[in-house]
Amino acid sequence: MAVSKISKAEQFHHENKTWERSLDFFKQENSYLKMRLAEVVDQVTDNSFLALAEQYQNQFILKDEFMQELQHDIHEQEATLKKGFLKDDPAPEAKTIKRQEKLRNEIEYLEKDFARLRNEFNKYLASLL
C-alpha cells in the first residue's frame, strides 16, 4: 500500500471546510424551523402549545449560539493550520490535533442532536394538525 503525501494539516483543512458547509446547512435549517414555529404560533392559541413553542424557540436559539461558537472555533483552527503547526515543535502539533478531535466530537454531537430536535419538532407539529 502506497503512503499518501497528504499531511495532517491538509486533512484537517478538508474537515474544517466540510464542517463549515454543514454548519451553513444547519443554520439554514434552524432558521426554517424558527419560521415554521412562528407560522404555527400565529394559528394556534392553545396555552399549553404556546408554552411548548417557547421551549422549542429557546432550543433553536441555543442551537444558533452553539453553531456560532463552533464556527468561531473552526476559524481559529484554520488560522492555526495556516501558520503551519507541523513545523518543528511537537507541542503545537499535539494541541492542534487535540483541538481538531474536540471539534470533530462537537460536530458529531450537533448533527445527532439537531436531527433529534428537528424530528421531535416536526412530529409534534404533525400531532397538532
Side-chain angles (χ1 to χ4, degrees):
M1 179 159 80
V3 177
S4 174
K5 297 289 183 191
I6 297 174
S7 70
K8 281 184 184 178
E10 290 171 312
Q11 175 56 31
F12 290 175
H13 175 72
H14 172 75
E15 275 185 306
N16 293 340
K17 291 300 174 193
T18 299
W19 295 337
E20 287 176 343
R21 288 190 307 273
S22 292
L23 284 174
D24 285 343
F25 168 76
F26 287 126
K27 286 178 185 178
Q28 288 176 340
E29 198 64 14
N30 204 37
S31 215
Y32 174 77
L33 292 173
K34 288 186 286 188
M35 286 189 318
R36 181 66 182 134
L37 179 61
E39 291 170 359
V40 175
V41 165
D42 287 344
Q43 297 173 6
V44 178
T45 58
D46 179 86
N47 284 339
S48 63
F49 167 74
L50 294 177
L52 195 54
E54 185 176 356
Q55 290 177 19
Y56 277 115
Q57 178 71 13
N58 289 338
Q59 289 183 60
F60 297 147
I61 290 169
L62 288 173
K63 289 287 173 260
D64 280 335
E65 291 171 359
F66 184 63
M67 287 184 275
Q68 191 65 34
E69 289 173 20
L70 266 174
Q71 190 169 39
H72 176 352
D73 292 347
I74 291 168
H75 289 161
E76 281 187 346
Q77 182 76 333
E78 275 298 300
T80 300
L81 293 172
K82 286 178 182 170
K83 289 178 189 173
F85 81 101
L86 292 172
K87 295 289 185 212
D88 300 318
D89 186 0
E93 177 182 353
K95 183 177 179 182
T96 303
I97 290 170
K98 188 171 185 146
R99 191 174 329 139
Q100 192 77 11
E101 289 170 357
K102 180 180 182 282
L103 286 168
R104 197 176 294 125
N105 290 335
E106 289 175 345
I107 290 289
E108 183 180 353
Y109 168 78
L110 174 65
E111 291 170 343
K112 289 177 182 176
D113 194 55
F114 190 84
R116 178 205 52 80
L117 176 60
R118 179 181 52 210
N119 291 335
E120 179 185 292
F121 176 68
N122 284 327
K123 286 178 188 175
Y124 179 70
L125 289 186
S127 75
L128 285 178
L129 308 174

